[in-house]
Amino acid sequence: MSVVEKKWFVIRKLPNTGGNMLKYSDEGLLMYNAIKEVATQFDTKEQAELWTNPLTEAVQLPVERIDE
């Protein structure tokens, strides 16, 4: 059974700039990718906004979680 919930993401404001969702890697690297499931997900808007800058914004998007 899948459950849809909403999480916060940091995305680039400018289109066509490669990957647009922020990912914070285990090695401490910041990078952008185009896959929501791989991007860093935040539980609150405040958490996501800590990672924004003038070229990015925090947005809330649905994510599907699989419950077994």
Side-chain angles (χ1 to χ4, degrees):
M1 177 179 183
S2 64
V3 176
V4 176
E5 56 186 19
K6 293 200 173 191
K7 293 287 185 176
W8 288 91
F9 296 86
V10 175
I11 64 167
R12 290 182 181 178
K13 292 180 182 179
L14 300 174
N16 301 323
T17 55
N20 65 348
M21 291 193 181
L22 178 70
K23 179 183 180 201
Y24 186 76
S25 74
D26 293 337
E27 296 81 27
L29 301 173
L30 292 177
M31 60 190 84
Y32 288 90
N33 65 69
I35 303 170
K36 178 173 53 175
E37 290 76 19
V38 178
T40 300
Q41 301 177 10
F42 300 93
D43 292 323
T44 67
K45 182 178 182 179
E46 291 76 19
Q47 290 171 333
E49 286 180 337
L50 291 174
W51 294 94
T52 61
N53 64 48
L55 300 176
T56 62
E57 62 185 335
V59 296
Q60 192 176 37
L61 301 171
V63 292
E64 189 172 332
R65 182 177 47 118
I66 306 294
D67 286 339
E68 295 183 37

